[in-house]
């Protein structure tokens, strides 16, 4: 199984277009040891030719240009993207669908609550019906996790894991959380027996999610904020990390503490906000990650399991 990190930043990318925080100013001007990143998305393949796009970021065209495997050029019009799977209906995870409108009909895997959002609060499904169109493939999220397979990913089994979170601000059920508003994804290679757990938005852990994380060989999880009050302290938002559906790395019960308890051979943070000090590779916060055996995802990162 092959995984390519197409984008590793949180919404807005890095540097964020209108931000002059220490990180954004530093990477823009080359005064800190850091690398630019596009908005989070990964691609998964069993054979290196046919790919499942997991989240369609607004930066998808840039990501395709940077990833030759997604444009194999076998015909006059071609793509390596065989299907798309959405983790939620957040604007930075679904807007890229619009950039795929010139292609063939999109097989789209998502939960019923996300599909509802794409027809109501952010009606991309209706807009795309006038172009390529989408073929909705419901993700099973009710009750016990139910594994499923996608034809283009022969030998790979996937499981959608409902996570505790809120639907996007434009969702009709924003204040009425539903199973599937936000999911984690367990990916199993049935040949090698190796597993990946992907969760770019992880606000809290329950026993079921913790058990799944303990079973995974590779964890690719929420790295949005370093502290709970990061955006408040910088004056960028009145909201703490928890209210935005993210578990910060530092502090009691934070992601570092969680990952320290996990036996996975690789522990990688993704969906990193532009304000997070770990983006400066010379920072003490970045050094702390290394001390705990935690990696930082970057655009173009390749993982083989």
């Amino acid at each position: 199984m092959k995984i390519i990190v197409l984008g590793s930043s949180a919404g807005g990318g890095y540097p964020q277009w209108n931000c002059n925080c220490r990180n954004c100013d530093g990477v823009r001007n080359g005064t800190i040891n850091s690398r630019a990143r596009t908005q989070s998305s990964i691609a998964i393949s069993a054979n290196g030719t046919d790919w499942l796009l997991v989240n369609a970021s607004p930066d998808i065209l840039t990501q395709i240009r940077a990833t030759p495997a997604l444009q194999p050029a076998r015909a006059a019009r071609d793509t390596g993207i065989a299907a798309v799977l959405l983790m939620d209906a957040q604007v930075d995870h679904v807007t890229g669908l619009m950039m795929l409108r010139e292609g063939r009909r999109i097989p789209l895997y998502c939960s019923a609550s996300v599909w509802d959002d794409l027809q109501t609060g952010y009606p991309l499904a209706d807009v795309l019906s006038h172009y390529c169109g989408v073929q909705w493939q419901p993700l099973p999220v009710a009750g016990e996790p139910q594994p499923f397979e996608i034809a283009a990913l022969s030998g790979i089994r996937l499981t959608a894991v409902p996570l505790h979170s809120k639907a996007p601000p434009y969702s009709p059920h924003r204040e009425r959380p539903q199973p599937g508003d936000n999911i984690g994804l367990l990916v199993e290679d049935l040949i090698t027996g190796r597993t990946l757990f992907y969760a770019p938005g992880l606000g809290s852990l329950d026993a079921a999610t913790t058990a799944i994380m303990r079973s995974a060989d590779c964890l690719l999880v929420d790295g949005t904020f370093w502290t709970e009050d990061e955006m408040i302290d910088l004056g960028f938002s009145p909201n703490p990390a928890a209210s935005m559906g993210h578990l910060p790395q530092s502090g009691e019960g934070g992601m570092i503490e969680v990952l320290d308890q996990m036996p996975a051979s690789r522990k990688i943070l993704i969906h990193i906000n532009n304000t997070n000090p770990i983006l400066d590779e010379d920072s003490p916060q970045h050094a702390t990650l290394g001390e705990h055996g935690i990696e930082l995802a970057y655009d173009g990162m390749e993982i083989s399991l």
Side-chain angles (χ1 to χ4, degrees):
M1 175 169 61
K2 303 176 185 295
I3 302 106
I4 299 176
V5 174
L6 303 178
S8 51
S9 174
Y14 174 62
Q16 185 172 303
W17 66 278
N18 66 340
C19 185
N20 294 297
C21 70
R22 179 183 180 276
N23 283 346
C24 289
D25 181 70
V27 73
R28 199 177 281 126
N29 294 301
T31 56
I32 65 171
N33 180 18
S34 189
R35 65 181 86 189
R37 289 167 163 84
T38 58
Q39 294 168 89
S40 70
S41 176
I42 66 171
I44 302 170
S45 180
N47 58 14
T49 301
D50 302 297
W51 296 85
L52 173 66
L53 177 65
V54 185
N55 288 336
S57 127
D59 296 317
I60 184 61
L61 297 184
T62 297
Q63 294 165 350
I64 290 172
R65 284 194 292 271
T67 313
L70 297 185
Q71 177 44 273
R74 297 163 296 193
R77 292 285 178 94
D78 194 23
T79 179
I81 300 172
V84 180
L85 185 148
L86 300 177
M87 309 291 284
D88 52 47
Q90 298 289 346
V91 65
D92 50 320
H93 288 161
V94 304
T95 303
L97 292 171
M98 295 294 291
M99 307 302 117
L100 305 178
R101 65 188 181 276
E102 294 91 355
R104 58 178 180 261
R105 196 177 189 194
I106 302 170
L108 183 66
Y109 291 78
C110 64
S111 69
S113 62
V114 168
W115 180 244
D116 182 57
D117 288 340
L118 295 184
Q119 296 179 94
T120 53
Y122 192 20
L124 292 185
D126 181 59
V127 174
L128 285 169
S129 71
H130 298 279
Y131 296 92
C132 60
V134 296
Q135 180 180 6
W136 179 41
Q137 305 288 341
L139 288 183
V141 294
E144 290 295 316
Q146 303 173 48
F148 64 97
E149 296 183 16
I150 295 174
L153 273 68
S154 178
I156 291 180
R157 184 168 59 195
L158 304 103
T159 306
V161 181
L163 303 177
H164 296 293
S165 187
K166 279 188 173 183
Y170 41 79
S171 171
H173 55 273
R174 167 73 169 177
E175 301 304 328
R176 293 176 288 106
Q178 299 180 11
D181 284 342
N182 182 31
I183 66 166
L185 188 67
L186 179 65
V187 188
E188 304 172 79
D189 188 315
L190 299 179
I191 297 174
T192 66
R194 306 277 285 173
T195 57
L196 165 77
F197 182 68
Y198 178 53
L202 190 57
S204 63
L205 292 173
D206 56 21
T209 304
T210 300
I212 289 172
M213 290 177 68
R214 285 187 182 280
S215 72
D217 296 294
C218 179
L219 296 170
L220 189 56
V221 294
D222 193 333
T224 310
F225 298 118
W226 178 255
T227 63
E228 176 69 8
D229 295 330
E230 188 169 308
M231 297 294 280
I232 298 172
D233 293 342
L234 290 170
F236 290 157
S237 171
N239 300 315
S243 72
M244 292 185 273
H246 299 290
L247 187 68
Q249 284 100 66
S250 63
E252 184 177 354
M255 188 64 77
I256 292 175
E257 186 175 294
V258 168
L259 293 179
D260 278 347
Q261 302 170 34
M262 300 296 165
S265 58
R266 295 191 70 178
K267 305 167 186 181
I268 309 169
L269 299 179
I270 194 169
H271 194 269
I272 306 139
N273 200 60
N274 62 289
T275 56
N276 195 324
I278 60 177
L279 288 168
D280 180 353
E281 297 181 21
D282 293 329
S283 68
Q285 293 88 351
H286 190 276
T288 297
L289 294 184
E291 292 166 3
H292 289 266
I294 300 171
E295 302 174 62
L296 198 58
Y298 55 86
D299 293 18
M301 183 182 208
E302 297 187 11
I303 302 167
S304 295
L305 294 172

PDB file of all heavy atoms in Angstrom, residues 27-59:
ATOM      1  N   VAL A  27       8.414  32.036   6.650  1.00  0.00           N
ATOM      2  CA  VAL A  27       8.565  31.140   5.498  1.00  0.00           C
ATOM      3  C   VAL A  27       8.477  31.929   4.199  1.00  0.00           C
ATOM      4  O   VAL A  27       9.146  31.614   3.207  1.00  0.00           O
ATOM      5  CB  VAL A  27       7.519  30.002   5.542  1.00  0.00           C
ATOM      6  CG1 VAL A  27       6.116  30.493   5.199  1.00  0.00           C
ATOM      7  CG2 VAL A  27       7.907  28.879   4.570  1.00  0.00           C
ATOM      8  N   ARG A  28       7.715  33.000   4.216  1.00  0.00           N
ATOM      9  CA  ARG A  28       7.577  33.847   3.026  1.00  0.00           C
ATOM     10  C   ARG A  28       8.906  34.547   2.697  1.00  0.00           C
ATOM     11  O   ARG A  28       9.274  34.699   1.532  1.00  0.00           O
ATOM     12  CB  ARG A  28       6.466  34.862   3.273  1.00  0.00           C
ATOM     13  CG  ARG A  28       5.886  35.506   2.023  1.00  0.00           C
ATOM     14  CD  ARG A  28       4.739  36.446   2.402  1.00  0.00           C
ATOM     15  NE  ARG A  28       3.506  35.723   2.679  1.00  0.00           N
ATOM     16  CZ  ARG A  28       2.794  35.846   3.811  1.00  0.00           C
ATOM     17  NH1 ARG A  28       3.194  36.670   4.767  1.00  0.00           N
ATOM     18  NH2 ARG A  28       1.689  35.151   3.965  1.00  0.00           N
ATOM     19  N   ASN A  29       9.608  34.955   3.741  1.00  0.00           N
ATOM     20  CA  ASN A  29      10.841  35.721   3.554  1.00  0.00           C
ATOM     21  C   ASN A  29      12.111  34.905   3.759  1.00  0.00           C
ATOM     22  O   ASN A  29      13.225  35.443   3.660  1.00  0.00           O
ATOM     23  CB  ASN A  29      10.846  36.920   4.513  1.00  0.00           C
ATOM     24  CG  ASN A  29       9.750  37.919   4.180  1.00  0.00           C
ATOM     25  OD1 ASN A  29       9.715  38.444   3.075  1.00  0.00           O
ATOM     26  ND2 ASN A  29       8.853  38.175   5.121  1.00  0.00           N
ATOM     27  N   GLY A  30      11.953  33.624   4.066  1.00  0.00           N
ATOM     28  CA  GLY A  30      13.111  32.762   4.225  1.00  0.00           C
ATOM     29  C   GLY A  30      13.909  32.999   5.487  1.00  0.00           C
ATOM     30  O   GLY A  30      15.102  32.674   5.544  1.00  0.00           O
ATOM     31  N   THR A  31      13.251  33.532   6.528  1.00  0.00           N
ATOM     32  CA  THR A  31      13.972  33.839   7.770  1.00  0.00           C
ATOM     33  C   THR A  31      13.807  32.754   8.834  1.00  0.00           C
ATOM     34  O   THR A  31      14.389  32.866   9.903  1.00  0.00           O
ATOM     35  CB  THR A  31      13.499  35.190   8.349  1.00  0.00           C
ATOM     36  OG1 THR A  31      12.075  35.148   8.543  1.00  0.00           O
ATOM     37  CG2 THR A  31      13.859  36.325   7.394  1.00  0.00           C
ATOM     38  N   ILE A  32      13.003  31.723   8.555  1.00  0.00           N
ATOM     39  CA  ILE A  32      12.919  30.575   9.459  1.00  0.00           C
ATOM     40  C   ILE A  32      13.120  29.299   8.641  1.00  0.00           C
ATOM     41  O   ILE A  32      12.924  29.295   7.420  1.00  0.00           O
ATOM     42  CB  ILE A  32      11.573  30.506  10.233  1.00  0.00           C
ATOM     43  CG1 ILE A  32      10.388  30.283   9.286  1.00  0.00           C
ATOM     44  CG2 ILE A  32      11.371  31.739  11.080  1.00  0.00           C
ATOM     45  CD1 ILE A  32       9.080  30.000  10.012  1.00  0.00           C
ATOM     46  N   ASN A  33      13.511  28.246   9.305  1.00  0.00           N
ATOM     47  CA  ASN A  33      13.740  26.954   8.659  1.00  0.00           C
ATOM     48  C   ASN A  33      12.399  26.219   8.580  1.00  0.00           C
ATOM     49  O   ASN A  33      12.005  25.514   9.507  1.00  0.00           O
ATOM     50  CB  ASN A  33      14.764  26.144   9.457  1.00  0.00           C
ATOM     51  CG  ASN A  33      15.048  24.793   8.827  1.00  0.00           C
ATOM     52  OD1 ASN A  33      14.758  24.565   7.652  1.00  0.00           O
ATOM     53  ND2 ASN A  33      15.617  23.886   9.602  1.00  0.00           N
ATOM     54  N   SER A  34      11.703  26.418   7.490  1.00  0.00           N
ATOM     55  CA  SER A  34      10.358  25.874   7.349  1.00  0.00           C
ATOM     56  C   SER A  34      10.054  25.696   5.875  1.00  0.00           C
ATOM     57  O   SER A  34      10.738  26.263   5.012  1.00  0.00           O
ATOM     58  CB  SER A  34       9.341  26.823   8.006  1.00  0.00           C
ATOM     59  OG  SER A  34       8.058  26.255   8.067  1.00  0.00           O
ATOM     60  N   ARG A  35       9.031  24.908   5.571  1.00  0.00           N
ATOM     61  CA  ARG A  35       8.657  24.705   4.179  1.00  0.00           C
ATOM     62  C   ARG A  35       7.169  24.995   3.982  1.00  0.00           C
ATOM     63  O   ARG A  35       6.349  24.725   4.871  1.00  0.00           O
ATOM     64  CB  ARG A  35       8.989  23.282   3.715  1.00  0.00           C
ATOM     65  CG  ARG A  35       8.231  22.189   4.401  1.00  0.00           C
ATOM     66  CD  ARG A  35       8.650  20.805   3.889  1.00  0.00           C
ATOM     67  NE  ARG A  35       9.803  20.273   4.595  1.00  0.00           N
ATOM     68  CZ  ARG A  35      10.463  19.173   4.220  1.00  0.00           C
ATOM     69  NH1 ARG A  35      10.104  18.520   3.139  1.00  0.00           N
ATOM     70  NH2 ARG A  35      11.494  18.737   4.928  1.00  0.00           N
ATOM     71  N   ALA A  36       6.824  25.566   2.839  1.00  0.00           N
ATOM     72  CA  ALA A  36       5.430  25.868   2.534  1.00  0.00           C
ATOM     73  C   ALA A  36       4.626  24.579   2.383  1.00  0.00           C
ATOM     74  O   ALA A  36       5.179  23.522   2.040  1.00  0.00           O
ATOM     75  CB  ALA A  36       5.341  26.693   1.257  1.00  0.00           C
ATOM     76  N   ARG A  37       3.336  24.679   2.646  1.00  0.00           N
ATOM     77  CA  ARG A  37       2.457  23.525   2.580  1.00  0.00           C
ATOM     78  C   ARG A  37       1.102  23.909   1.993  1.00  0.00           C
ATOM     79  O   ARG A  37       0.619  25.010   2.236  1.00  0.00           O
ATOM     80  CB  ARG A  37       2.250  22.925   3.983  1.00  0.00           C
ATOM     81  CG  ARG A  37       3.465  22.203   4.558  1.00  0.00           C
ATOM     82  CD  ARG A  37       3.291  21.924   6.041  1.00  0.00           C
ATOM     83  NE  ARG A  37       4.206  20.911   6.538  1.00  0.00           N
ATOM     84  CZ  ARG A  37       5.453  21.136   6.929  1.00  0.00           C
ATOM     85  NH1 ARG A  37       5.935  22.370   6.885  1.00  0.00           N
ATOM     86  NH2 ARG A  37       6.215  20.146   7.373  1.00  0.00           N
ATOM     87  N   THR A  38       0.500  22.979   1.262  1.00  0.00           N
ATOM     88  CA  THR A  38      -0.864  23.176   0.772  1.00  0.00           C
ATOM     89  C   THR A  38      -1.847  22.491   1.725  1.00  0.00           C
ATOM     90  O   THR A  38      -1.456  21.786   2.657  1.00  0.00           O
ATOM     91  CB  THR A  38      -1.028  22.613  -0.653  1.00  0.00           C
ATOM     92  OG1 THR A  38      -0.698  21.217  -0.650  1.00  0.00           O
ATOM     93  CG2 THR A  38      -0.120  23.344  -1.627  1.00  0.00           C
ATOM     94  N   GLN A  39      -3.140  22.693   1.463  1.00  0.00           N
ATOM     95  CA  GLN A  39      -4.174  22.231   2.393  1.00  0.00           C
ATOM     96  C   GLN A  39      -4.339  20.703   2.347  1.00  0.00           C
ATOM     97  O   GLN A  39      -4.199  20.084   1.295  1.00  0.00           O
ATOM     98  CB  GLN A  39      -5.487  22.945   2.076  1.00  0.00           C
ATOM     99  CG  GLN A  39      -5.367  24.440   2.368  1.00  0.00           C
ATOM    100  CD  GLN A  39      -6.518  25.250   1.819  1.00  0.00           C
ATOM    101  OE1 GLN A  39      -7.524  25.441   2.486  1.00  0.00           O
ATOM    102  NE2 GLN A  39      -6.387  25.732   0.598  1.00  0.00           N
ATOM    103  N   SER A  40      -4.657  20.121   3.501  1.00  0.00           N
ATOM    104  CA  SER A  40      -4.470  18.687   3.722  1.00  0.00           C
ATOM    105  C   SER A  40      -5.301  17.784   2.826  1.00  0.00           C
ATOM    106  O   SER A  40      -6.492  18.002   2.605  1.00  0.00           O
ATOM    107  CB  SER A  40      -4.735  18.338   5.187  1.00  0.00           C
ATOM    108  OG  SER A  40      -6.100  18.467   5.495  1.00  0.00           O
ATOM    109  N   SER A  41      -4.626  16.760   2.335  1.00  0.00           N
ATOM    110  CA  SER A  41      -5.230  15.717   1.513  1.00  0.00           C
ATOM    111  C   SER A  41      -4.197  14.621   1.341  1.00  0.00           C
ATOM    112  O   SER A  41      -2.990  14.893   1.354  1.00  0.00           O
ATOM    113  CB  SER A  41      -5.634  16.278   0.150  1.00  0.00           C
ATOM    114  OG  SER A  41      -6.136  15.265  -0.699  1.00  0.00           O
ATOM    115  N   ILE A  42      -4.655  13.381   1.191  1.00  0.00           N
ATOM    116  CA  ILE A  42      -3.740  12.284   0.889  1.00  0.00           C
ATOM    117  C   ILE A  42      -4.305  11.465  -0.268  1.00  0.00           C
ATOM    118  O   ILE A  42      -5.487  11.579  -0.611  1.00  0.00           O
ATOM    119  CB  ILE A  42      -3.482  11.362   2.103  1.00  0.00           C
ATOM    120  CG1 ILE A  42      -4.762  10.611   2.512  1.00  0.00           C
ATOM    121  CG2 ILE A  42      -2.913  12.148   3.277  1.00  0.00           C
ATOM    122  CD1 ILE A  42      -4.520   9.517   3.569  1.00  0.00           C
ATOM    123  N   ALA A  43      -3.450  10.650  -0.878  1.00  0.00           N
ATOM    124  CA  ALA A  43      -3.877   9.711  -1.909  1.00  0.00           C
ATOM    125  C   ALA A  43      -3.369   8.326  -1.520  1.00  0.00           C
ATOM    126  O   ALA A  43      -2.251   8.185  -1.015  1.00  0.00           O
ATOM    127  CB  ALA A  43      -3.341  10.122  -3.273  1.00  0.00           C
ATOM    128  N   ILE A  44      -4.201   7.309  -1.758  1.00  0.00           N
ATOM    129  CA  ILE A  44      -3.887   5.939  -1.363  1.00  0.00           C
ATOM    130  C   ILE A  44      -4.004   5.032  -2.590  1.00  0.00           C
ATOM    131  O   ILE A  44      -4.949   5.150  -3.372  1.00  0.00           O
ATOM    132  CB  ILE A  44      -4.858   5.436  -0.274  1.00  0.00           C
ATOM    133  CG1 ILE A  44      -4.800   6.346   0.961  1.00  0.00           C
ATOM    134  CG2 ILE A  44      -4.559   3.995   0.116  1.00  0.00           C
ATOM    135  CD1 ILE A  44      -5.895   6.068   1.969  1.00  0.00           C
ATOM    136  N   SER A  45      -3.047   4.114  -2.755  1.00  0.00           N
ATOM    137  CA  SER A  45      -3.080   3.194  -3.882  1.00  0.00           C
ATOM    138  C   SER A  45      -2.574   1.821  -3.474  1.00  0.00           C
ATOM    139  O   SER A  45      -1.709   1.702  -2.600  1.00  0.00           O
ATOM    140  CB  SER A  45      -2.222   3.730  -5.036  1.00  0.00           C
ATOM    141  OG  SER A  45      -2.233   2.852  -6.143  1.00  0.00           O
ATOM    142  N   ALA A  46      -3.117   0.800  -4.143  1.00  0.00           N
ATOM    143  CA  ALA A  46      -2.620  -0.557  -3.945  1.00  0.00           C
ATOM    144  C   ALA A  46      -1.567  -0.906  -4.988  1.00  0.00           C
ATOM    145  O   ALA A  46      -0.656  -1.691  -4.727  1.00  0.00           O
ATOM    146  CB  ALA A  46      -3.772  -1.557  -4.022  1.00  0.00           C
ATOM    147  N   ASN A  47      -1.695  -0.307  -6.189  1.00  0.00           N
ATOM    148  CA  ASN A  47      -0.831  -0.694  -7.294  1.00  0.00           C
ATOM    149  C   ASN A  47       0.049   0.436  -7.829  1.00  0.00           C
ATOM    150  O   ASN A  47       0.826   0.241  -8.769  1.00  0.00           O
ATOM    151  CB  ASN A  47      -1.669  -1.263  -8.444  1.00  0.00           C
ATOM    152  CG  ASN A  47      -2.722  -0.280  -8.943  1.00  0.00           C
ATOM    153  OD1 ASN A  47      -2.686   0.913  -8.635  1.00  0.00           O
ATOM    154  ND2 ASN A  47      -3.687  -0.789  -9.705  1.00  0.00           N
ATOM    155  N   GLY A  48      -0.073   1.644  -7.248  1.00  0.00           N
ATOM    156  CA  GLY A  48       0.719   2.768  -7.704  1.00  0.00           C
ATOM    157  C   GLY A  48       0.189   3.423  -8.961  1.00  0.00           C
ATOM    158  O   GLY A  48       0.794   4.382  -9.465  1.00  0.00           O
ATOM    159  N   THR A  49      -0.951   2.936  -9.468  1.00  0.00           N
ATOM    160  CA  THR A  49      -1.543   3.481 -10.692  1.00  0.00           C
ATOM    161  C   THR A  49      -2.918   4.080 -10.439  1.00  0.00           C
ATOM    162  O   THR A  49      -3.232   5.169 -10.927  1.00  0.00           O
ATOM    163  CB  THR A  49      -1.661   2.377 -11.766  1.00  0.00           C
ATOM    164  OG1 THR A  49      -0.358   1.853 -12.043  1.00  0.00           O
ATOM    165  CG2 THR A  49      -2.266   2.926 -13.050  1.00  0.00           C
ATOM    166  N   ASP A  50      -3.740   3.361  -9.686  1.00  0.00           N
ATOM    167  CA  ASP A  50      -5.102   3.807  -9.389  1.00  0.00           C
ATOM    168  C   ASP A  50      -5.152   4.313  -7.951  1.00  0.00           C
ATOM    169  O   ASP A  50      -4.771   3.590  -7.020  1.00  0.00           O
ATOM    170  CB  ASP A  50      -6.095   2.649  -9.563  1.00  0.00           C
ATOM    171  CG  ASP A  50      -6.041   2.069 -10.970  1.00  0.00           C
ATOM    172  OD1 ASP A  50      -6.351   2.800 -11.919  1.00  0.00           O
ATOM    173  OD2 ASP A  50      -5.656   0.884 -11.105  1.00  0.00           O
ATOM    174  N   TRP A  51      -5.644   5.556  -7.778  1.00  0.00           N
ATOM    175  CA  TRP A  51      -5.536   6.231  -6.487  1.00  0.00           C
ATOM    176  C   TRP A  51      -6.894   6.647  -5.941  1.00  0.00           C
ATOM    177  O   TRP A  51      -7.769   7.100  -6.684  1.00  0.00           O
ATOM    178  CB  TRP A  51      -4.652   7.467  -6.623  1.00  0.00           C
ATOM    179  CG  TRP A  51      -3.243   7.143  -6.982  1.00  0.00           C
ATOM    180  CD1 TRP A  51      -2.736   6.930  -8.231  1.00  0.00           C
ATOM    181  CD2 TRP A  51      -2.148   6.953  -6.071  1.00  0.00           C
ATOM    182  NE1 TRP A  51      -1.395   6.626  -8.154  1.00  0.00           N
ATOM    183  CE2 TRP A  51      -1.005   6.641  -6.846  1.00  0.00           C
ATOM    184  CE3 TRP A  51      -2.025   7.040  -4.683  1.00  0.00           C
ATOM    185  CZ2 TRP A  51       0.247   6.412  -6.281  1.00  0.00           C
ATOM    186  CZ3 TRP A  51      -0.778   6.816  -4.113  1.00  0.00           C
ATOM    187  CH2 TRP A  51       0.338   6.499  -4.905  1.00  0.00           C
ATOM    188  N   LEU A  52      -7.036   6.492  -4.631  1.00  0.00           N
ATOM    189  CA  LEU A  52      -8.172   7.051  -3.901  1.00  0.00           C
ATOM    190  C   LEU A  52      -7.731   8.391  -3.346  1.00  0.00           C
ATOM    191  O   LEU A  52      -6.774   8.466  -2.571  1.00  0.00           O
ATOM    192  CB  LEU A  52      -8.587   6.120  -2.760  1.00  0.00           C
ATOM    193  CG  LEU A  52      -9.664   6.676  -1.808  1.00  0.00           C
ATOM    194  CD1 LEU A  52     -10.994   6.842  -2.527  1.00  0.00           C
ATOM    195  CD2 LEU A  52      -9.816   5.776  -0.573  1.00  0.00           C
ATOM    196  N   LEU A  53      -8.414   9.460  -3.747  1.00  0.00           N
ATOM    197  CA  LEU A  53      -8.148  10.797  -3.217  1.00  0.00           C
ATOM    198  C   LEU A  53      -8.961  10.962  -1.942  1.00  0.00           C
ATOM    199  O   LEU A  53     -10.191  10.852  -1.972  1.00  0.00           O
ATOM    200  CB  LEU A  53      -8.543  11.846  -4.255  1.00  0.00           C
ATOM    201  CG  LEU A  53      -8.398  13.317  -3.848  1.00  0.00           C
ATOM    202  CD1 LEU A  53      -6.937  13.668  -3.619  1.00  0.00           C
ATOM    203  CD2 LEU A  53      -9.014  14.221  -4.906  1.00  0.00           C
ATOM    204  N   VAL A  54      -8.287  11.187  -0.828  1.00  0.00           N
ATOM    205  CA  VAL A  54      -8.971  11.351   0.454  1.00  0.00           C
ATOM    206  C   VAL A  54      -8.971  12.838   0.798  1.00  0.00           C
ATOM    207  O   VAL A  54      -7.936  13.407   1.152  1.00  0.00           O
ATOM    208  CB  VAL A  54      -8.308  10.523   1.563  1.00  0.00           C
ATOM    209  CG1 VAL A  54      -9.125  10.633   2.852  1.00  0.00           C
ATOM    210  CG2 VAL A  54      -8.189   9.058   1.148  1.00  0.00           C
ATOM    211  N   ASN A  55     -10.122  13.442   0.636  1.00  0.00           N
ATOM    212  CA  ASN A  55     -10.377  14.884   0.727  1.00  0.00           C
ATOM    213  C   ASN A  55      -9.877  15.595  -0.533  1.00  0.00           C
ATOM    214  O   ASN A  55      -8.802  15.273  -1.062  1.00  0.00           O
ATOM    215  CB  ASN A  55      -9.774  15.528   1.977  1.00  0.00           C
ATOM    216  CG  ASN A  55     -10.521  15.134   3.232  1.00  0.00           C
ATOM    217  OD1 ASN A  55     -11.696  14.761   3.173  1.00  0.00           O
ATOM    218  ND2 ASN A  55      -9.873  15.226   4.375  1.00  0.00           N
ATOM    219  N   ALA A  56     -10.710  16.507  -1.005  1.00  0.00           N
ATOM    220  CA  ALA A  56     -10.407  17.266  -2.217  1.00  0.00           C
ATOM    221  C   ALA A  56     -10.181  18.717  -1.804  1.00  0.00           C
ATOM    222  O   ALA A  56     -11.124  19.503  -1.685  1.00  0.00           O
ATOM    223  CB  ALA A  56     -11.545  17.146  -3.226  1.00  0.00           C
ATOM    224  N   SER A  57      -8.935  19.060  -1.577  1.00  0.00           N
ATOM    225  CA  SER A  57      -8.579  20.385  -1.086  1.00  0.00           C
ATOM    226  C   SER A  57      -8.722  21.437  -2.178  1.00  0.00           C
ATOM    227  O   SER A  57      -8.645  21.135  -3.373  1.00  0.00           O
ATOM    228  CB  SER A  57      -7.150  20.339  -0.546  1.00  0.00           C
ATOM    229  OG  SER A  57      -6.335  21.309  -1.102  1.00  0.00           O
ATOM    230  N   PRO A  58      -8.903  22.709  -1.805  1.00  0.00           N
ATOM    231  CA  PRO A  58      -8.902  23.784  -2.800  1.00  0.00           C
ATOM    232  C   PRO A  58      -7.596  23.854  -3.591  1.00  0.00           C
ATOM    233  O   PRO A  58      -7.553  24.467  -4.659  1.00  0.00           O
ATOM    234  CB  PRO A  58      -9.107  25.050  -1.949  1.00  0.00           C
ATOM    235  CG  PRO A  58      -9.773  24.578  -0.706  1.00  0.00           C
ATOM    236  CD  PRO A  58      -9.209  23.207  -0.454  1.00  0.00           C
ATOM    237  N   ASP A  59      -6.533  23.213  -3.073  1.00  0.00           N
ATOM    238  CA  ASP A  59      -5.228  23.218  -3.737  1.00  0.00           C
ATOM    239  C   ASP A  59      -5.021  22.002  -4.631  1.00  0.00           C
ATOM    240  O   ASP A  59      -3.881  21.721  -5.032  1.00  0.00           O
ATOM    241  CB  ASP A  59      -4.117  23.248  -2.678  1.00  0.00           C
ATOM    242  CG  ASP A  59      -4.127  24.513  -1.843  1.00  0.00           C
ATOM    243  OD1 ASP A  59      -4.298  25.600  -2.424  1.00  0.00           O
ATOM    244  OD2 ASP A  59      -3.960  24.412  -0.612  1.00  0.00           O
TER     245      ASP A  59
END
